[in-house]
Amino acid sequence: MSNLVQQFEQYSNWRNGVAAALERYRAWVVASDLTDAATDQRFARLQARLADDKLSIAFVAEFSRGKSELINAIFFADYGQRILPSSAGRTTMCPTELLYDETFPPSIRLLPIETRAQAQSTTDLKEHSHIWTVLPLDISSPEGMLEAFKQVSLTKRVPVDEARSYGLYDDEDPDVAQSVDADGLVEISQWRHAIVNFPHPLLKQGLVIIDTPGLNAIGTEPELTLNLIPNANAVLFILAADTGVTKSDIEVWRNHIGTGSGRMVVMNKIDSMWDELRTPDEVEQQIAAQAASVAQILNLDASQVFPVSAQKGLVAKVNHDPALLAKSRLPSLESALSDELIPSKQDIIRDQIASDIDELITGKQALLAARGRNVVEQLLELRSLRGKNKNIIEHMMKRVDIEKRDFDESLVKLQGTRAVFTRLSTEVFTSLGMGILKEEIRKTRDAMESSKFSSGLRAAVKNFFDHVRGNLNESSQKTEEITSMMGVMYRKFSTEHGLALSTPMPFSLDKYLKEIDLIEAVYHKQFGTAAILTTPQVVLMSKFFDSIASRVKQSFLQANRDVEAWLKVVMAPLEAQIWEHRSQLKKRRQSIERIHSATDELDDKLALLEEMQAEIEQQKAALARLQAELSGAISSELAVLKAAA
């Protein structure tokens, strides 16, 4: 088993361990009568985040660089043969996602190339199952799977005008012009996108493999430029050892991949440099010199360039040949990938869930503290009643009545705050609503279609981004108002009635503003340099805007979900403690009433309260143990899991 596969399995075990600890905590909260609707919702979101966690690796290369062979060698060697087609020429003609979704049977879903004529992105079309061609995948037959995978490489010949309308024919590119045959037809992919649903053990655990077509498709398929490559946890940029870095390689590296976390360069096919007429040292020097040249051209540290032979690595794994495997250098790439990719992904998930879990536990600690404080107050009150006459007991009932009246007056004022809260909540969604966004998208499309000049096209897109940012900023101001207002109410109930409240749960839309900035930056890289846009570029810009609109819609949908979830929980701690305080006031009044009529019940009531106090202390201890267990599960490193395995 490769180090990458082993590390990924350990990461999956870590994630499952956190989910199990979270479920034990949830069950205890329910059993201890500490739950509410907001808590249930937060548990559900945490569990869904762990269950839906994906780790994606994108493989990017020009054709004939051995990209599909590298995927076979790293992930599918256990099948004893190639699973992805790998031969001379182009074997991947459209972006392909390999993943596992248990809601679908093993299959290959193919999106017809004709959908590029529609004003919808690939992401949008994923929701329309009837558009896709579905081929069953017989996972019991490696040969059958290989044949099914060959569907991804199918092409068709279409008239130039049709290819141009899809944004797949550039009149300014002489190489493309030479591809037109005597009948005026040009070859294009039969499919726009492929999704392979395959129950491979790693894919079941959340791995997603993205196999991209040749580099020319990076600039023409917006889904790759805007979604799949930027959002991948790792990008492997594959070059051929014998050709080195080509001009198109440099362009794609600088414009679409670049340096950063999880970006690696694979110099494949080093077996072409194995020469029996040279000594091993001479071969080693030649490979090292080529790798150093690649690093210099791409402005990388030499440690980020990995010379390998994917083909020999696959053969070595299939034939169980450790000497050939070592010579292929594939294990070095797998180790580097696992050492960088898995821990960074673990850190991301850890950061995402740690704050939510801390807030959950803090809320329950505060609720238990409030219960404990109320029990102590009742004990002190009732103990002070020993030997007292009825006049004193009546005085104490009046004191509780006054406290309850003051509390009820605060609740009346809270109703006014609720009204403001409701109004501000509505205003948040007014500027964040999907209806406004759809109208902005429609206006931008209309402006682009009516414009005959490059400046008009760019102005339309610029206005779109400006309006989107303006809407997000308006909603952000409203959430800040809500946070400030709730902070005042939290402090009021804390100081006037002794409720154990800290500050309201914070919220920010900044990450969505940053995401809009990133989307716009990708757009500028693609279309921001040329003063005049050619006709093919105008067609391509239109396709890109479809994907931009889809990406922004996805961002707004998530922002809406996050705001809605926050609005449901921002008042939850206050409401939980208000309910607890009212309940305890009622119990105190009832206790004193019973003692007023029958003083012999005093000792029984004291005993019951002392039992309640002991139970609360036990709950606090149990909560502390569960907190330690959750913290341990979250903070544990993969090395710890490996040692325990």
Side-chain angles (χ1 to χ4, degrees):
M1 182 185 293
S2 72
N3 187 47
L4 175 61
V5 174
Q6 190 174 29
Q7 280 275 77
F8 195 84
E9 288 183 349
Q10 290 162 7
Y11 170 72
S12 181
N13 291 337
W14 170 81
R15 190 175 55 204
N16 292 338
V18 174
L22 184 65
E23 176 55 28
R24 287 192 289 273
Y25 175 61
R26 188 200 66 80
W28 179 85
V29 167
V30 172
S32 302
D33 194 26
L34 291 169
T35 191
D36 51 49
T39 299
D40 291 341
Q41 182 188 55
R42 187 170 287 179
F43 273 127
R45 291 184 67 198
L46 283 168
Q47 290 169 327
R49 185 175 294 167
L50 287 167
D52 296 339
D53 176 40
K54 303 292 183 185
L55 192 152
S56 60
I57 304 177
F59 290 75
V60 180
E62 186 56 283
F63 65 90
S64 295
R65 299 293 195 264
K67 171 172 50 62
S68 297
E69 191 78 321
L70 184 62
I71 297 174
N72 282 324
I74 294 177
F75 299 106
F76 301 127
D78 289 344
Y79 283 86
Q81 67 172 66
R82 294 182 177 91
I83 295 299
L84 297 184
S86 178
S87 59
R90 298 191 178 190
T91 55
T92 304
M93 291 297 293
C94 68
T96 303
E97 295 178 78
L98 289 88
L99 48 82
Y100 181 65
D101 183 346
E102 63 181 8
T103 62
F104 288 92
S107 59
I108 299 180
R109 284 178 283 161
L110 299 160
L111 185 63
I113 195 67
E114 288 78 9
T115 58
R116 284 183 68 100
Q118 302 175 19
Q120 287 181 294
S121 70
T122 303
T123 301
D124 294 330
L125 293 170
K126 285 179 180 179
E127 300 176 3
H128 304 289
S129 58
H130 65 281
I131 296 175
W132 296 70
T133 297
V134 181
L135 303 176
L137 196 59
D138 183 2
I139 60 175
S140 65
S141 169
E143 294 81 6
M145 284 196 294
L146 183 59
E147 285 301 313
F149 275 108
K150 288 181 180 178
Q151 294 290 322
V152 177
S153 61
L154 293 181
T155 62
K156 61 194 298 186
R157 302 195 76 83
V158 299
V160 168
D161 287 344
E162 183 178 345
R164 188 184 290 118
S165 71
Y166 298 154
L168 299 176
Y169 185 89
D170 186 351
D171 297 273
E172 307 296 322
D173 188 337
D175 294 332
V176 173
Q178 291 178 4
S179 66
V180 181
D181 64 17
D183 297 324
L185 302 178
V186 63
E187 185 181 37
I188 63 172
S189 172
Q190 186 168 324
W191 310 110
R192 179 180 180 182
H193 197 86
I195 300 175
V196 180
N197 194 43
F198 179 32
H200 183 279
L202 289 182
L203 302 183
K204 279 183 165 183
Q205 292 169 8
L207 177 68
V208 177
I209 300 170
I210 302 164
D211 187 9
T212 66
L215 300 181
N216 63 319
I218 302 297
T220 59
E221 180 47 68
E223 185 73 10
L224 288 172
T225 309
L226 287 167
N227 289 325
L228 295 179
I229 293 177
N231 293 331
N233 301 106
V235 177
L236 270 62
F237 189 50
I238 301 136
L239 310 171
D242 51 354
T243 60
V245 185
T246 66
K247 183 179 179 181
S248 60
D249 290 334
I250 295 173
E251 181 183 348
V252 170
W253 175 261
R254 290 176 179 171
N255 293 336
H256 302 294
I257 301 176
T259 57
S261 175
R263 270 51 181 165
M264 301 178 181
V265 174
V266 179
M267 194 176 79
N268 193 21
K269 300 188 177 183
I270 60 169
D271 51 292
S272 66
M273 305 172 78
W274 297 351
D275 189 341
E276 295 179 357
L277 298 180
R278 291 192 177 98
T279 66
D281 286 344
E282 289 174 335
V283 171
E284 176 64 31
Q285 290 171 8
Q286 187 181 15
I287 293 173
Q290 183 73 307
S293 173
V294 168
Q296 182 181 13
I297 293 171
L298 297 181
N299 194 27
L300 287 173
D301 189 273
S303 63
Q304 289 181 270
V305 179
F306 297 88
V308 303
S309 172
Q311 192 269 337
K312 299 304 180 187
L314 176 61
V315 171
K317 286 185 175 182
V318 170
N319 294 333
H320 306 289
D321 186 342
L324 182 60
L325 183 60
K327 191 176 181 181
S328 75
R329 303 196 189 189
L330 191 64
S332 297
L333 171 63
E334 292 175 336
S335 295
L337 194 58
S338 63
D339 291 345
E340 180 169 339
L341 174 63
I342 308 296
S344 63
K345 178 62 173 176
Q346 186 186 24
D347 288 342
I348 291 170
I349 295 299
R350 179 189 290 131
D351 292 344
Q352 287 178 344
I353 65 176
S355 60
D356 277 353
I357 288 175
D358 285 344
E359 287 169 4
L360 267 174
I361 291 175
T362 300
K364 300 314 167 191
Q365 287 173 333
L367 193 55
L368 279 178
R371 285 185 182 179
R373 186 178 63 253
N374 281 317
V375 169
V376 169
E377 289 175 356
Q378 288 188 66
L379 279 169
L380 290 174
E381 279 184 341
L382 296 184
R383 284 169 180 161
S384 69
L385 294 179
R386 280 187 169 133
K388 305 295 183 183
N389 59 37
K390 290 191 174 184
N391 290 333
I392 293 176
I393 295 175
E394 288 172 355
H395 174 72
M396 294 189 71
M397 282 194 291
K398 289 179 181 178
R399 192 173 68 183
V400 173
D401 289 340
I402 292 171
E403 189 175 339
K404 182 178 181 301
R405 186 187 64 211
D406 292 343
F407 190 68
D408 288 342
E409 288 176 359
S410 294
L411 292 182
V412 171
K413 294 177 182 177
L414 180 62
Q415 293 305 316
T417 302
R418 286 180 187 275
V420 178
F421 177 86
T422 301
R423 175 178 59 79
L424 290 173
S425 300
T426 303
E427 291 175 0
V428 169
F429 291 109
T430 299
S431 49
L432 197 64
M434 299 307 295
I436 288 181
L437 179 60
K438 289 177 181 177
E439 181 62 17
E440 293 290 351
I441 292 171
R442 185 194 63 77
K443 288 179 180 177
T444 305
R445 283 201 178 107
D446 290 346
M448 292 177 71
E449 289 176 5
S450 61
S451 177
K452 298 180 180 179
F453 302 99
S454 301
S455 58
L457 290 168
R458 290 196 176 96
V461 179
K462 181 181 183 300
N463 287 337
F464 172 75
F465 281 113
D466 289 345
H467 288 150
V468 165
R469 281 196 196 86
N471 289 337
L472 279 171
N473 281 321
E474 282 185 34
S475 293
S476 184
Q477 290 173 6
K478 299 302 178 184
T479 60
E480 289 173 5
E481 287 183 48
I482 291 172
T483 301
S484 177
M485 180 184 69
M486 293 307 302
V488 171
M489 293 307 300
Y490 272 49
R491 288 190 295 273
K492 174 181 174 61
F493 278 88
S494 295
T495 55
E496 294 183 7
H497 303 289
L499 272 61
L501 293 164
S502 51
T503 56
M505 177 184 173
F507 182 78
S508 174
L509 287 168
D510 285 350
K511 70 176 182 178
Y512 297 104
L513 285 164
K514 291 178 181 176
E515 188 170 347
I516 298 302
D517 290 341
L518 289 173
I519 297 170
E520 187 175 22
V522 172
Y523 156 76
H524 281 304
K525 274 187 177 181
Q526 195 75 19
F527 300 103
T529 54
I532 303 296
L533 296 174
T534 64
T535 299
Q537 286 177 314
V538 170
V539 173
L540 191 56
M541 180 186 278
S542 188
K543 302 300 176 194
F544 258 77
F545 182 73
D546 293 339
S547 285
I548 286 170
S550 175
R551 178 83 180 269
V552 173
K553 278 194 289 187
Q554 292 298 319
S555 182
F556 264 55
L557 280 170
Q558 187 58 53
N560 272 267
R561 284 193 285 264
D562 286 352
V563 170
E564 186 177 355
W566 174 70
L567 291 173
K568 287 180 179 178
V569 301
V570 70
M571 291 192 74
L574 177 61
E575 290 177 333
Q577 292 216 31
I578 284 174
W579 183 88
E580 184 71 25
H581 194 69
R582 290 182 70 179
S583 175
Q584 294 300 333
L585 283 173
K586 183 178 180 181
K587 289 177 181 177
R588 283 170 59 191
R589 182 68 163 78
Q590 290 172 343
S591 296
I592 297 173
E593 279 180 352
R594 285 196 295 269
I595 292 163
H596 182 265
S597 59
T599 55
D600 57 339
E601 291 185 6
L602 179 58
D603 289 337
D604 292 338
K605 186 62 179 178
L606 283 169
L608 180 60
L609 285 170
E610 286 166 354
E611 287 178 10
M612 290 175 59
Q613 186 180 31
E615 182 181 350
I616 290 171
E617 292 304 316
Q618 290 173 357
Q619 288 180 326
K620 288 180 180 178
L623 180 59
R625 286 194 300 271
L626 286 164
Q627 180 183 10
E629 180 186 346
L630 257 176
S631 299
I634 294 169
S635 62
S636 62
E637 299 295 335
L638 295 181
V640 176
L641 292 170
K642 184 177 179 181

